[in-house]
Amino acid sequence: MGRWRPPSAKGSTYITAAGFKRMKDEVTQLWKIERPQVTQVVHEAAKNGDRSENGDYIYGKRRLREIDSRVRFLSKRMEVLTVVDRLPDDRSKVFFGAWVTLEDEDGNEKTYQIVGPDEFDVARQKLSMDSPLAKAMLGKRLDDEIVLKKPDGEELFYITAIEYKPYDQE
């Protein structure tokens, strides 16, 4: 069996300014701080002779490959990203970067920020704009109804708040 895989669906290329900064900081951390340290460990381990049984050498080389792979991925991804660093003119609608509060049929409320696929983190209330829920929210207004189609049925939400925070306060 070959290694061919069908191409994955392309995600959106939008990212918040804070998300782009975190991405740049990760590249700097990996390339300027962590990689030189691991390189030094590998260099010292290589001096010890037999490399086939030298754990520091083997795991150091593996970590270098991981670092190089991650830096290459991030660098290529940053080239195609579009940084959204200004607020929309019409703030009564849900657009990229909005903090949206949803209420379900039981009266439970949850707040999410709509962000790009590179920075989503549901635990931190950041929802990818490519997710079904975010796609259903985009373009809606306050008090609009959102129907989320799920395999086990539909779920109904109402938009109770839309807020845009300045990008320097994220």
Side-chain angles (χ1 to χ4, degrees):
M1 178 159 185
R3 293 177 50 105
W4 184 83
R5 303 280 185 273
S8 60
K10 297 286 183 194
S12 299
T13 60
Y14 296 106
I15 191 167
T16 63
F20 193 78
K21 182 184 181 311
R22 278 191 299 276
M23 202 177 269
K24 280 177 49 177
D25 291 346
E26 182 180 354
V27 169
T28 302
Q29 166 70 23
L30 289 171
W31 194 253
K32 301 273 187 194
I33 297 169
E34 192 171 339
R35 193 175 196 288
Q37 291 171 351
V38 175
T39 303
Q40 185 61 35
V41 168
V42 169
H43 176 71
E44 293 299 321
K47 289 183 189 177
N48 294 336
D50 187 10
R51 296 176 184 173
S52 65
E53 295 180 7
N54 188 330
D56 284 343
Y57 182 81
I58 293 168
Y59 295 118
K61 291 293 278 188
R62 180 179 298 158
R63 182 64 187 142
L64 283 175
R65 284 191 300 273
E66 291 169 356
I67 290 170
D68 291 347
S69 176
R70 181 70 179 160
V71 167
R72 187 171 33 259
F73 169 78
L74 290 173
S75 298
K76 285 182 177 183
R77 185 68 181 154
M78 286 190 313
E79 289 175 4
V80 299
L81 290 175
T82 303
V83 179
V84 178
D85 56 359
R86 67 180 197 88
L87 301 176
D89 295 330
D90 182 7
R91 296 188 189 144
S92 65
K93 286 176 114 177
V94 177
F95 293 112
F96 181 86
W99 286 91
V100 183
T101 303
L102 299 176
E103 183 179 325
D104 63 13
E105 294 177 286
D106 299 330
N108 302 320
E109 286 191 341
K110 288 187 180 177
T111 302
Y112 298 104
Q113 182 185 22
I114 298 178
V115 296
D118 296 293
E119 55 186 329
F120 86 93
D121 183 359
V122 178
R124 291 181 48 225
Q125 300 171 304
K126 299 199 180 271
L127 194 62
S128 171
M129 67 185 294
D130 294 336
S131 70
L133 182 57
K135 284 181 179 179
M137 284 191 285
L138 289 171
K140 301 286 189 201
R141 296 182 182 277
L142 195 62
D143 296 328
D144 278 359
E145 186 177 283
I146 295 173
V147 178
L148 180 63
K149 294 180 178 149
K150 299 170 111 180
D152 58 343
E154 293 181 342
E155 198 168 349
L156 188 65
F157 296 99
Y158 297 98
I159 297 177
T160 59
I162 301 170
E163 182 182 359
Y164 289 93
K165 298 178 183 174
Y167 286 109
D168 57 355
Q169 292 182 3
E170 289 182 27

